[in-house]
Amino acid sequence: MILTVTLNTALDITYRVGSLRPHASHRVSEVTERPGGKGVNVARVLAALGHEVTVTGFTGGATGRVVQERLAAVPGVADALVPVSGATRRTIAVVDEQTGDTTQLNEPGPMVTPTEWSAFQEAYEDLLPSASAVALCGSLPPGVPVGAYAGLVRTARAAGVPVLLDTSGEALRRGVAARPDIIKPNADELAELTGSHEPLRATQDARRRGAGAVVASLGPEGLLAATREGRWRATPPTSVRGNPTGAGDSAVAGLLSGLVAHLTWPDRLARAVALSAATVLAPVAGEFDRATYEELLGRVTVTGEASAA
């Protein structure tokens, strides 16, 4: 079982309008709802790849009940969310059908009390013995300590479970110091962490700060990885145009899938890039077509070298 942690789960709501104009009323042509938050998105992709996944984090209120109802309909995903008194947040995406642009509105999430945070930590410790890997993903809701991910990384490492961290800002800075096995920042998050805008230098610096491996997302240019085993660059076969929503979460799923399958780093990176590209090409944001993914997988380019023994 792969465990994904989403402390700030969400109900993702997408509105489609013909043309988005400020200070105007709009007729919505389509509304979609689905459970969200980065770790939930990762779990959905992993389940589509055939992995058994457990989702944990917080859920509360009427919105939280809808999230859990929708999760129950996803094959291969088990719900281990911890209840809180506050309401799960909503994220609102408004898609302009004329331009293809998306405007995003993200609520902050429920206030988590110290008692609720303690209950989550106990649930997390109980889940770890059954986990082959754990992903810690996304933002922290109000009330959760900024060093929360650092503590969760240390708990996973003490249990002998490899851990991937995908967050940003101070939560990432503190989390890296706890020595996660993998971090997956994008270029901006990596620059904020290290102060360097040169990706190769920044990945090496992030490793010196404590990460076992750093896999930096460079958007349409693919992934750059600095690991104990070597350094590699993985790029998609062609320039991929489409909706990038969820592409980073698909890359995380690819890295975790490759980790538990004991693939080499080049093969893990190829899987992550192919999944990310297939997600960009999909007509529904955050989803992917299996046939497209498999076709892309054989055409991803991975260059680099292994470290000397």
Side-chain angles (χ1 to χ4, degrees), residues 184-250:
K184 197 222 64 74
N186 62 33
D188 290 339
E189 292 162 350
L190 185 61
E192 182 182 7
L193 174 67
T194 65
S196 174
H197 291 272
E198 200 291 304
L200 181 58
R201 181 180 303 162
T203 55
Q204 293 170 327
D205 181 47
R207 280 209 65 218
R208 286 192 290 269
R209 291 168 183 257
V214 181
V215 181
S217 175
L218 306 180
E221 297 178 16
L223 299 174
L224 177 66
T227 78
R228 295 183 183 92
E229 291 82 2
R231 296 180 298 188
W232 291 275
R233 180 79 170 264
T235 56
T238 57
S239 178
V240 177
R241 297 180 61 85
N243 188 344
T245 302
D249 300 331
S250 290

Side-chain angles (χ1 to χ4, degrees), residues 211-306:
V214 181
V215 181
S217 175
L218 306 180
E221 297 178 16
L223 299 174
L224 177 66
T227 78
R228 295 183 183 92
E229 291 82 2
R231 296 180 298 188
W232 291 275
R233 180 79 170 264
T235 56
T238 57
S239 178
V240 177
R241 297 180 61 85
N243 188 344
T245 302
D249 300 331
S250 290
V252 169
L255 293 172
L256 286 169
S257 176
L259 171 66
V260 300
H262 307 291
L263 299 184
T264 65
W265 268 107
D267 287 341
R268 294 186 206 179
L269 296 169
R271 182 172 291 191
V273 167
L275 277 170
S276 181
T279 300
V280 172
L281 291 170
V284 178
E287 304 292 340
F288 76 96
D289 176 71
R290 184 64 180 254
T292 301
Y293 155 65
E294 291 176 352
E295 190 274 333
L296 289 167
L297 181 60
R299 299 194 296 125
V300 173
T301 300
V302 183
T303 58
E305 58 183 6

Side-chain angles (χ1 to χ4, degrees), residues 2 43-53 75-76 257 260 288 290:
I2 299 175
R44 187 187 298 109
V45 175
L46 285 167
L49 291 172
H51 296 281
E52 292 186 1
V53 193
S257 176
V260 300
F288 76 96
R290 184 64 180 254

Side-chain angles (χ1 to χ4, degrees), residues 25-300:
S25 296
H26 297 78
R27 186 175 297 278
V28 176
S29 61
E30 182 183 354
V31 181
T32 58
E33 292 184 350
R34 67 176 189 174
K38 292 181 71 65
V40 173
N41 298 337
V42 170
R44 187 187 298 109
V45 175
L46 285 167
L49 291 172
H51 296 281
E52 292 186 1
V53 193
T54 296
V55 171
T56 191
F58 294 114
T59 183
T63 306
R65 288 193 292 273
V66 174
V67 167
Q68 291 184 287
E69 289 170 3
R70 299 296 172 88
L71 270 179
V74 181
V77 175
D79 175 1
L81 293 167
V82 175
V84 293
S85 57
T88 295
R89 66 184 178 135
R90 297 162 298 179
T91 66
I92 311 296
V94 184
V95 179
D96 185 321
E97 294 177 328
Q98 181 174 316
T99 65
D101 292 337
T102 300
T103 299
Q104 191 86 14
L105 302 173
N106 296 329
E107 296 179 356
M111 175 63 68
V112 176
T113 69
T115 299
E116 291 166 342
W117 174 236
S118 295
F120 169 79
Q121 290 176 289
E122 291 178 9
Y124 175 72
E125 291 181 16
D126 289 343
L127 289 166
L128 282 174
S130 301
S132 56
V134 59
L136 308 173
C137 303
S139 61
L140 301 176
V144 173
V146 70
Y149 281 137
L152 298 180
V153 168
R154 285 191 287 267
T155 301
R157 288 181 58 82
V161 181
V163 56
L164 183 152
L165 176 63
D166 183 16
T167 188
S168 60
E170 188 62 21
L172 175 59
R173 189 180 306 279
R174 297 198 187 194
V176 167
R179 308 185 71 80
D181 296 271
I182 307 170
I183 64 170
K184 197 222 64 74
N186 62 33
D188 290 339
E189 292 162 350
L190 185 61
E192 182 182 7
L193 174 67
T194 65
S196 174
H197 291 272
E198 200 291 304
L200 181 58
R201 181 180 303 162
T203 55
Q204 293 170 327
D205 181 47
R207 280 209 65 218
R208 286 192 290 269
R209 291 168 183 257
V214 181
V215 181
S217 175
L218 306 180
E221 297 178 16
L223 299 174
L224 177 66
T227 78
R228 295 183 183 92
E229 291 82 2
R231 296 180 298 188
W232 291 275
R233 180 79 170 264
T235 56
T238 57
S239 178
V240 177
R241 297 180 61 85
N243 188 344
T245 302
D249 300 331
S250 290
V252 169
L255 293 172
L256 286 169
S257 176
L259 171 66
V260 300
H262 307 291
L263 299 184
T264 65
W265 268 107
D267 287 341
R268 294 186 206 179
L269 296 169
R271 182 172 291 191
V273 167
L275 277 170
S276 181
T279 300
V280 172
L281 291 170
V284 178
E287 304 292 340
F288 76 96
D289 176 71
R290 184 64 180 254
T292 301
Y293 155 65
E294 291 176 352
E295 190 274 333
L296 289 167
L297 181 60
R299 299 194 296 125
V300 173

